[in-house]
Amino acid sequence: MDRKQFLRSTLFLGGLGLASSALLVESCKKSSSTSSAQGPSANFTLDISQSPYTALKTVGGSVALNGVVVICTATNTYNALAQACTHQGCSMSYSSNQMVCPCHGGSFDMNGNVVSGPPSIPIKKYTVTKSGNILTISG
Ligand code: FES
C-alpha cells in the first residue's frame, strides 16, 4: 500500500466512524426522550359555592369534570390533572396526594408524573386560577 492508498483508506474509515457516531447519538436521543403528558385540552370555569362543586371548598376535596380532576390541595390552593390513565384510559380519582388508577394500580403525583406502573406516560397538569368562588381551569 502506497502513501496515497493509505490516506484514502484512512479518510474512508474515518468517515465511516463519524457517520456511525452520528447515528448512535441520534438513536440515543430518541430512546432517552420522554413522552409528553397526555390529557384533553381544557378551558372552563366552575363556581365552588354551587353544587356539585362545593367539595372543592374543603382541603382534600375533588371534582371530576370534562376529563379533568380538580383538587383542593390546601386552603385556596387548587390543582387539576387529567382524569384518564395513560396506560389504558381508565378513569382515575384523587386519593392521598395522588391520582390513582383502579384498573391496574397505576398512580401519578400532583405534577402528573408516574409514581407507580404500569403507566409510563405522565398525565397532563392544568393551570388553575381562582377569583372569588370561580375557578378557571385551562391548558
Ligand atoms: S389503565 Fe391505569 S394502570 Fe392500567
Side-chain angles (χ1 to χ4, degrees), residues 85 87-90 101 103-106 117-119:
C85 180
H87 179 224
Q88 291 181 357
C90 289
C101 182
C103 293
H104 312 105

Side-chain angles (χ1 to χ4, degrees), residues 5-139:
Q5 286 177 320
F6 174 76
L7 286 173
R8 278 190 193 135
S9 65
T10 303
L11 286 173
F12 176 73
L13 291 175
L16 279 179
L18 282 175
S20 300
S21 298
L23 284 173
L24 279 173
V25 168
E26 189 60 31
S27 66
C28 288
K29 277 186 193 172
K30 286 178 183 168
S31 65
S32 64
S33 67
T34 56
S35 301
S36 56
Q38 292 182 355
S41 294
N43 189 10
F44 59 90
T45 60
L46 54 83
D47 184 342
I48 63 171
S49 70
Q50 301 294 313
S51 179
Y53 311 120
T54 54
L56 293 171
K57 292 165 77 176
T58 306
V59 174
S62 65
V63 168
L65 182 68
N66 300 331
V68 177
V69 177
V70 184
I71 305 148
C72 178
T73 55
T75 303
N76 290 319
T77 304
Y78 297 88
N79 200 344
L81 295 159
Q83 185 176 21
C85 180
T86 56
H87 179 224
Q88 291 181 357
C90 289
S91 285
M92 299 189 290
S93 58
Y94 171 75
S95 178
S96 303
N97 242 13
Q98 291 188 341
M99 290 294 289
V100 178
C101 182
C103 293
H104 312 105
S107 62
F108 300 82
D109 67 17
M110 287 293 97
N111 289 314
N113 298 312
V114 175
V115 173
S116 62
S120 60
I121 300 170
I123 54 173
K124 188 172 179 178
K125 181 178 180 179
Y126 300 87
T127 300
V128 183
T129 56
K130 184 174 186 282
S131 177
N133 287 325
I134 306 298
L135 297 183
T136 301
I137 293 88
S138 60

